[in-house]
Amino acid sequence: MAKGVNSAAEQAEQLKQNGNLYFKKNRLGAAIDAYTEAITLCPNVPVYWTNRALCHRKRNEWARVEEDSRRAVKLDPKSVKGHYMLGLALLQREQYNEGIKALERALDLGRGAHPHSYMVEEIWQELAGAKYKEWQRDSTKRASDLQKLEKSCEMALKENYLHNISQDEDGITDSTSEQLAALKLVFSKAAEADKPTDVPDYLCCKITLDIFRDPVITPSGLTYERAIILDHLEKVGKFDPITREDLHPSQLVPNLAIKEAVEAYLEKHGWAYKME
């Protein structure tokens, strides 16, 4: 019995390897067939599901991406690819809230397992785009609601004061004109919250000048992007690029305060800077 199980597992693994080769050659149909056979033999292996989901993604078959990704994360709640592709599939259906949650989960898992991999950066970019689209949708609705409310308030003011005796040639009293000006100012201020804004310098890495993703602080008190400072220490030398003091990777500590500040800033401003 055990021999049969091992044989099935070995066959499934070979099918996965075949699928990988087909995928590299862009033979997506053949790759899907290979992964499907592997799943039939060993349905509880998450990577078979995520590999097939990746094929469906390249073919823009998002319903199947979602289906396979959900199965993968059910089998392995720590599957980075599973959460990542589930998030992408949900975004295709404009399920921004759930899609963003899935991408955030993928990002957290990716940072923990492979903090310097290309996938972490890819997930970050997709998450930025998703948050921007969510912000754009919500800000557009808020702008429309504000405009309707402003017009309603203007009409109410004009109707309320039209009966006044002292009117200018437009039929509106001086008092009304002042209130209308104040009203425009109030609504103008309310609309400013939805305008893109420059990222504060303290939220940006001093080397890349880009907003922090994974900030770490040095003994001298300077904060850098983790991947960037580690690359400097490996390729340039074991010293702080600004203070020139000795610095080793073991001395880097996560800057949780800056990380929280970045997240708060991005949440407020909808990651709009990413689309500049």
Side-chain angles (χ1 to χ4, degrees), residues 111-112 115-116 212-219 221-227 229-230 247-263:
R111 281 174 169 167
H116 314 307
F212 284 117
R213 293 157 170 75
D214 188 11
V216 291
I217 190 168
T218 67
L222 294 175
T223 299
Y224 299 100
E225 179 65 27
R226 182 190 294 276
I229 189 63
L230 286 175
L247 180 63
H248 296 272
S250 61
Q251 294 177 287
L252 301 175
V253 178
N255 192 330
L256 299 180
I258 289 295
K259 184 176 181 180
E260 290 178 4
V262 166
E263 291 175 353

Side-chain angles (χ1 to χ4, degrees), residues 2 49 65 75 122 194 235 246-247:
W49 296 93
V65 173
L75 290 169
E122 185 178 323
D194 285 322
K235 296 179 180 178
D246 290 344
L247 180 63

